[in-house]
Amino acid sequence: MKEILYIQAGELSNYTGTHFWNTQESYLQADELQVSEIASNISFSETIDAEACRGRATLSPRLLLFDRKSNFGTLGKANALGAIAADEDQSNLPLWGGHSVEYRQSPITKSSYHKQLEDEEEVRTTPSKGIGDVRYWSDFNRLYYLPKSLQQLPDVPDWETTSLDWNQGQELFTRFNEGSELMEGDLRLLVEECDHMQGIQLMNDTDTFGGFMSSFLAYFRDEYQKLPSFTFPLLSGALSSKYDWDEVKRAKRIVNEALYLRTLNELSSLNIPMEHPALWPGSVWASPLNFPSSSIYHQAAILSAHIETCTLPFRLNPNHQDIASVSALLKWRGTSPFAELHGIFPLRRLLISLTS
């Protein structure tokens, strides 16, 4: 068994990752009916939680997921697999008996999709009414996550931008790692659960998590020098005219991307930069898809389809290729650890053009 540890960081990456993991969950459904060609134990770890799964074993993604706290929506460590419910957690009770005034933020309501799931007789049955309104990437999630998978970063103050400069991103990682013992705690636990790990598959937004993930990779490479990494940096679209950014913000995004790509050149085995959907041609959104081009949900769906397809050999059963062999194949010249990804989605569009 050659396990993969997955890393996601940033809003677009987590939208894309949610589509990716929902696809992996659909393969688990196929396992129940026939022998699957996908080896689920490469990407999932088995956990038993009496309350969440009625004492049955459940599979959870082998994943570290980073994002700002407000982007998690209804998903948090309080409702992850095996976690303590928020109203049962006694750690936040006041330690003094004096007068106090308590202010509570209104809880985020469940998404229409999750309400439909609860109304279905079988949880794994896809609701017939569609996905509904999507406010957060967790609104259409179908899986249980382990508490150690969910890494919530503090929200950015209203007067600051979420697009950090390079030094701020690195400082954020240092503070977060010191406060949570990320590298010696949750990361090490996930790695040590693996019997024979083939590497990490990393996906992150470059403008908001470039500096952060640069420091993460530096720490990771110091500890795990021989583990290969397969990275998908999601570019910011700073060159697009669709965004009304001032020149300072645009320059900051470009600098973040350049510095992060330099880091990947030094620390990552193979890297496939993904062009921002704002730079895609208009034909992508035309028939038969007819997706709204500004919808991050639909942008992520197309990104996920390409990423899931090109990494499928890592998860095939039994004759799969691993991250190291594919990386070596794609950089056989030995000059650059970068590659390009092109695709046609859906395939029906190509078939129509070939037969017409």
Side-chain angles (χ1 to χ4, degrees), residues 183-195:
M183 306 305 285
E184 292 299 322
D186 292 340
L187 174 67
R188 185 173 295 278
L189 288 173
L190 286 167
V191 172
E192 291 179 351
E193 288 173 358
C194 302
D195 294 329

Side-chain angles (χ1 to χ4, degrees), residues 216-266:
F216 174 90
L217 278 172
Y219 273 78
F220 180 86
R221 193 54 68 203
D222 286 342
E223 187 69 22
Y224 307 99
Q225 297 181 7
K226 296 184 179 180
L227 273 180
S229 56
F230 206 86
T231 304
F232 294 92
L234 305 188
L235 304 180
S236 67
L239 300 178
S240 173
S241 59
K242 293 184 179 181
Y243 296 116
D244 187 22
W245 291 329
D246 60 46
E247 291 305 313
V248 174
K249 292 181 179 179
R250 192 182 303 275
K252 182 183 293 186
R253 284 171 165 82
I254 293 174
V255 169
N256 277 357
E257 288 182 358
L259 291 173
Y260 186 57
L261 293 177
R262 184 188 67 178
T263 297
L264 294 180
N265 182 64
E266 298 171 352

Side-chain angles (χ1 to χ4, degrees), residues 92-311:
N92 293 324
L93 292 178
L95 300 179
W96 74 302
H99 177 71
S100 63
V101 178
E102 184 178 277
Y103 295 91
R104 285 182 177 266
Q105 188 177 24
S106 299
I108 300 173
T109 58
K110 292 181 180 179
S111 68
S112 57
Y113 179 69
H114 286 158
K115 291 178 182 178
Q116 292 176 52
L117 282 177
E118 292 180 352
D119 292 339
E120 296 290 335
E121 293 182 0
E122 295 292 334
V123 175
R124 290 182 180 270
T125 301
T126 302
S128 57
K129 297 181 181 179
I131 198 69
D133 294 332
V134 176
R135 306 158 300 171
Y136 310 95
W137 48 260
S138 61
D139 281 351
F140 58 101
N141 166 64
R142 294 177 61 90
L143 293 165
Y144 283 110
Y145 294 101
L146 297 172
K148 58 177 172 280
S149 290
L150 305 179
Q151 305 293 329
Q152 297 183 357
L153 277 64
D155 288 323
V156 178
D158 294 338
W159 59 87
E160 292 185 9
T161 175
T162 56
S163 182
L164 301 174
D165 67 34
W166 187 254
N167 292 331
Q168 286 178 319
Q170 292 185 319
E171 291 170 2
L172 176 61
F173 173 82
T174 300
R175 293 195 304 269
F176 185 78
N177 185 42
E178 291 174 351
S180 64
E181 296 184 346
L182 168 68
M183 306 305 285
E184 292 299 322
D186 292 340
L187 174 67
R188 185 173 295 278
L189 288 173
L190 286 167
V191 172
E192 291 179 351
E193 288 173 358
C194 302
D195 294 329
H196 184 56
M197 187 173 168
Q198 64 170 287
I200 64 171
Q201 181 176 314
L202 190 153
M203 174 172 56
N204 72 281
D205 300 5
T206 57
D207 60 336
T208 54
F209 278 87
F212 184 94
M213 293 311 299
S214 172
S215 294
F216 174 90
L217 278 172
Y219 273 78
F220 180 86
R221 193 54 68 203
D222 286 342
E223 187 69 22
Y224 307 99
Q225 297 181 7
K226 296 184 179 180
L227 273 180
S229 56
F230 206 86
T231 304
F232 294 92
L234 305 188
L235 304 180
S236 67
L239 300 178
S240 173
S241 59
K242 293 184 179 181
Y243 296 116
D244 187 22
W245 291 329
D246 60 46
E247 291 305 313
V248 174
K249 292 181 179 179
R250 192 182 303 275
K252 182 183 293 186
R253 284 171 165 82
I254 293 174
V255 169
N256 277 357
E257 288 182 358
L259 291 173
Y260 186 57
L261 293 177
R262 184 188 67 178
T263 297
L264 294 180
N265 182 64
E266 298 171 352
L267 299 177
S268 182
S269 306
L270 191 79
N271 313 287
I272 305 178
M274 304 294 287
E275 189 175 60
H276 193 275
L279 296 174
W280 295 351
S283 58
V284 172
W285 313 104
S287 178
L289 292 180
N290 296 318
F291 287 166
S293 61
S294 60
S295 167
I296 188 173
Y297 171 83
H298 293 93
Q299 293 172 354
I302 297 176
L303 284 169
S304 174
H306 287 75
I307 292 174
E308 202 280 330
T309 301
C310 79
T311 59

